[in-house]
Amino acid sequence: MPVRRNILSMPLEEVKRFTAALNVLKDDGTYDAFTRRHMDAMSTATPAGSARNVAHQGPAFLPWHRASLLELENALLAVDPTLEGLPYWMWERESELNGGDPRRSRFWTADYVGSDGAAESGNRVLDGPFASWVALLHEGSTGSFVPRSTPGLVRRLGRDPGGIRTFPDQAQVTEALDRYTVYDAAPWDATVAGFRNRLEGWHGGSRLHNQVHLWVGGDMLPGTSPNDPVFWLHHCNIDRIWWAWQARYGIVYKYQPVSGGPAGHNRSDEMRHLLTPRQVGSVLDIRTLGYRYA
Amino acid sequence: MISRRHYIAGTWAVFSSVAIGTVVQPFSDAEAAGPPPEERFTYRGRRVDIVHQSHGHGVAHAQVRVRVNGRKEIHVHRGGPRNRYVTHALPFTEYSSPQQLARAVIDAEDAELLII
């Protein structure tokens, strides 16, 4: 059974095997297909003409990403069966552990995911295991994907003009877990005061999930955000927080809507733009999915 | 009280605005067949047209289209927690206006994060 652990508590040798497996998936094209599927999901409004899509701004935000994480984890384990599981990045502790400046974390070093982008080099990440990666850009007018003309991921930690300077902390996570006892509610979008919407980061201002995307900046800003592997470590932490909420308030029966919600977001609906289509209800209990968090 | 100097300056500003407005390139014939743009501006070398298309349900239900250089469109929807403007091009925040959204997407294209 995969055990998902805090990447900063893992031995460096295991971190290296994890990033090496990611590089295998990048080289054979498997990884870029994950980026494409995320962008395709982002582009599929439900219903048509809505700001909600099949994976965001609605109840299936958490199940869709849980399913996608599982698919990446399975791909990584197929490359290296000795991996214990997908690691998570416990970002809510980074400010506290680094004197109030999460940019100082060892997470942002060549041993882990590489540094912040170099301002003098177009904010490209010049070191670490993904320094040679070529990002996949989405062309909105045609719906096609085009490799960026030069290698190097783009990051602008806490300094992207299109992003945000503040970073979520433990108090935000605790507040989300303590205060939001309802998973979601009609009209099932970015306006409701439920746990999903709080964790996604719409309710009450830019928070948690959205805030981390916006703070990292660069390639974490567009719908192709899986271009930066930080995406998976971030979403694995989101999934861990959701599981903590589920363990406290209820696993399957707490999920709403059961029916009557937008297509793709009801408990028995099939989620689209995954490697393998799955029903929302099939990913609610991680014990049946065969992994756990340490 | 308006001084003579302020009056002349104001007149010059109005004249300049009209003169600048007339040098903006017109739409092609095909573009002219569509609804007229409600706002046109230039940002980072791109000509941006914001078009509001009402469906008879008031401003809150109006569809907004953002065209760049007359050929490309930026995805935009009314939505988000405050019913502002969102785009799947930059999906993790909302924008107070279509203009702000268009500028952010153009900035992202210049940063090589996406292609409009």
Side-chain angles (χ1 to χ4, degrees), chain A residues 39 42 49 124 137-141 148 190 202 210 213-214 218 220-223, chain B residues 72-73 77-81 86 88-94 112-116:
Chain A
M39 186 69 225
M42 192 72 79
R124 299 302 175 88
L137 307 187
H138 183 253
E139 184 168 1
S141 297
R148 188 183 281 144
W202 295 110
N210 284 348
H213 273 276
L214 294 166
M220 282 283 274
L221 293 182
Chain B
K72 296 187 167 187
E73 289 218 12
H77 268 298
R78 289 300 290 269
V86 294
H88 61 225
L90 296 169
F92 305 115
T93 190
E94 60 178 346
E112 295 184 75
L113 304 180
L114 52 81
I115 302 167
I116 295 172

Side-chain angles (χ1 to χ4, degrees), chain B residues 30-85:
Chain B
E31 291 163 349
E38 292 194 358
E39 184 183 346
R40 175 179 294 182
F41 62 94
T42 300
Y43 182 67
R44 291 191 166 211
R46 279 83 143 189
R47 193 186 74 217
V48 181
D49 294 307
I50 312 287
V51 182
H52 295 270
Q53 296 175 311
S54 175
H55 293 289
H57 300 290
V59 175
H61 293 87
Q63 185 180 355
V64 182
R65 301 183 73 177
V66 178
R67 264 182 293 189
V68 177
N69 291 339
R71 296 177 293 109
K72 296 187 167 187
E73 289 218 12
I74 294 175
H75 169 262
V76 58
H77 268 298
R78 289 300 290 269
R82 287 172 287 188
N83 196 31
R84 291 183 169 182
Y85 298 89

Side-chain angles (χ1 to χ4, degrees), chain A:
Chain A
M1 171 186 281
V3 179
R4 297 180 177 180
R5 292 171 297 159
N6 182 345
I7 191 170
L8 293 176
S9 67
M10 288 165 52
L12 272 183
E13 184 53 40
E14 290 185 33
V15 174
K16 282 190 170 56
R17 285 196 281 114
F18 164 65
T19 57
L22 280 171
N23 269 293
V24 170
L25 297 181
K26 180 70 174 176
D27 289 344
D28 70 13
T30 301
Y31 188 92
D32 283 349
F34 280 94
T35 302
R36 277 195 291 271
R37 282 193 291 273
H38 186 262
M39 186 69 225
D40 288 342
M42 192 72 79
S43 308
T44 306
T46 175
S50 164
R52 182 195 310 103
N53 61 66
V54 297
H56 304 85
Q57 294 198 36
F61 166 69
L62 294 168
W64 191 94
H65 287 85
R66 175 173 283 173
S68 195
L69 286 163
L70 197 63
E71 290 176 345
L72 180 75
E73 186 171 60
N74 288 338
L76 290 167
L77 289 168
V79 170
D80 183 352
T82 69
L83 290 173
E84 285 211 38
L86 199 57
Y88 57 86
W89 171 38
M90 207 169 179
W91 35 256
E92 67 267 33
R93 298 195 63 199
E94 291 288 43
S95 290
E96 175 195 348
L97 293 173
N98 295 284
D101 186 357
R103 290 174 302 181
R104 291 166 53 187
S105 170
R106 60 193 159 93
F107 184 70
W108 305 112
T109 62
D111 284 338
Y112 290 90
V113 298
S115 304
D116 190 7
E120 68 277 12
S121 302
N123 296 296
R124 299 302 175 88
V125 178
L126 302 177
D127 63 3
F130 316 118
S132 64
W133 281 31
V134 174
L136 204 57
L137 307 187
H138 183 253
E139 184 168 1
S141 297
T142 62
S144 59
F145 293 88
V146 181
R148 188 183 281 144
S149 57
T150 53
L153 298 173
V154 179
R155 284 186 198 139
R156 305 178 83 174
L157 307 183
R159 60 188 177 85
D160 199 310
I164 201 166
R165 292 181 183 276
T166 58
F167 200 67
D169 58 14
Q170 183 62 53
Q172 271 197 41
V173 174
T174 301
E175 191 253 7
L177 290 170
D178 288 350
R179 185 175 160 197
Y180 293 84
T181 59
V182 172
Y183 178 77
D184 216 329
W188 320 110
D189 61 14
T191 66
V192 298
F195 175 75
R196 184 275 308 166
N197 201 32
R198 183 63 157 191
L199 185 55
E200 187 171 1
W202 295 110
H203 178 67
S206 186
R207 289 170 190 263
L208 299 167
H209 161 262
N210 284 348
Q211 193 175 3
V212 171
H213 273 276
L214 294 166
W215 183 85
V216 175
D219 281 319
M220 282 283 274
L221 293 182
T224 49
S225 49
N227 269 318
D228 190 335
V230 167
F231 172 94
W232 302 101
L233 299 161
H234 168 39
H235 269 278
C236 197
N237 197 45
I238 292 287
D239 189 65
R240 185 187 63 82
I241 294 168
W242 180 31
W243 178 244
W245 185 91
Q246 289 182 294
R248 187 185 297 189
Y249 299 110
I251 297 169
V252 175
Y253 80 94
K254 285 290 282 189
Y255 183 87
Q256 295 289 335
V258 175
S259 61
H265 290 267
N266 298 293
R267 196 192 298 175
S268 58
D269 286 354
E270 189 175 273
M271 296 185 285
R272 296 176 57 194
H273 297 300
L274 292 166
L275 185 60
T276 305
R278 289 172 184 266
Q279 286 188 341
V280 170
S282 73
V283 298
L284 296 179
D285 189 344
I286 70 168
R287 294 169 303 185
T288 65
L289 297 174
Y291 70 86
R292 67 181 177 86
Y293 285 101

